[in-house]
Amino acid sequence: MFEVTVQAGFSSGHYLRNYHGKCENPHGHNYRVLVTLVGAELDEAGLLLDFKLLKQVLRPTVEYLDHQMINDLEPFNALNPSAENLARYFFEKTANQLHEMTQGRVRVKDCTLYETDTSFARYYE
């Protein structure tokens, strides 16, 4: 199996619902998201997926969240914008696009979302 990973960053605000503590108040993070892809076959250029293409796949999701109050955006106006839910959100957005692009040759292995330099959540299926 082959794996490739890219990283992207964005800055946003959020607050946690049904939480008792500092994080129930609006605050911000400089998020980093790492998306790892996996597949058994390389393309004709010897790549699992061009890093540039994966960055382009991530760009709309990153731009949607960047410099926003995440709680005001779908689906986070109903879903708590925890690191765990954000990691799953990136996973699902990326997986849907990749399946169409590669006819299933490449899939998302996992998404890791850093809220701080020392705290992160990971989602995989």
Side-chain angles (χ1 to χ4, degrees):
M1 297 298 281
F2 298 95
E3 290 184 8
V4 296
T5 302
V6 298
Q7 176 178 292
F10 61 99
S11 298
S12 297
H14 78 148
Y15 56 90
L16 296 178
R17 299 177 197 93
N18 303 313
Y19 182 88
H20 302 290
K22 288 183 179 181
C23 294
E24 69 184 313
N25 298 313
H27 62 283
H29 294 286
N30 293 317
Y31 292 96
R32 281 187 304 136
V33 60
L34 287 83
V35 178
T36 299
L37 308 182
V38 65
E41 297 176 27
L42 302 179
D43 67 13
E44 59 279 352
L47 305 173
L48 184 62
L49 190 76
D50 189 339
F51 290 124
K52 180 181 173 183
L53 186 56
L54 179 51
K55 288 177 184 177
Q56 289 173 353
V57 167
L58 286 176
R59 186 172 296 124
T61 305
V62 168
E63 288 178 357
Y64 178 66
L65 298 170
D66 191 38
H67 283 79
Q68 299 293 322
M69 176 55 77
I70 297 173
N71 297 69
D72 296 340
L73 304 174
E74 290 282 342
F76 300 105
N77 55 353
L79 181 67
N80 219 10
S82 63
E84 293 87 346
N85 282 330
L86 284 162
R88 180 175 57 193
Y89 182 74
F90 272 96
F91 183 100
E92 291 171 350
K93 290 289 189 181
T94 306
N96 289 340
Q97 290 183 61
L98 279 178
H99 185 75
E100 292 177 22
M101 264 182 188
T102 67
Q103 291 74 47
R105 181 181 64 83
V106 178
R107 63 181 177 82
V108 179
K109 178 184 178 190
D110 60 51
C111 287
T112 303
L113 184 103
Y114 281 83
E115 272 195 351
T116 69
D117 289 340
T118 59
S119 300
F120 65 89
R122 180 171 294 129
Y123 181 82
Y124 61 92
E125 294 180 352

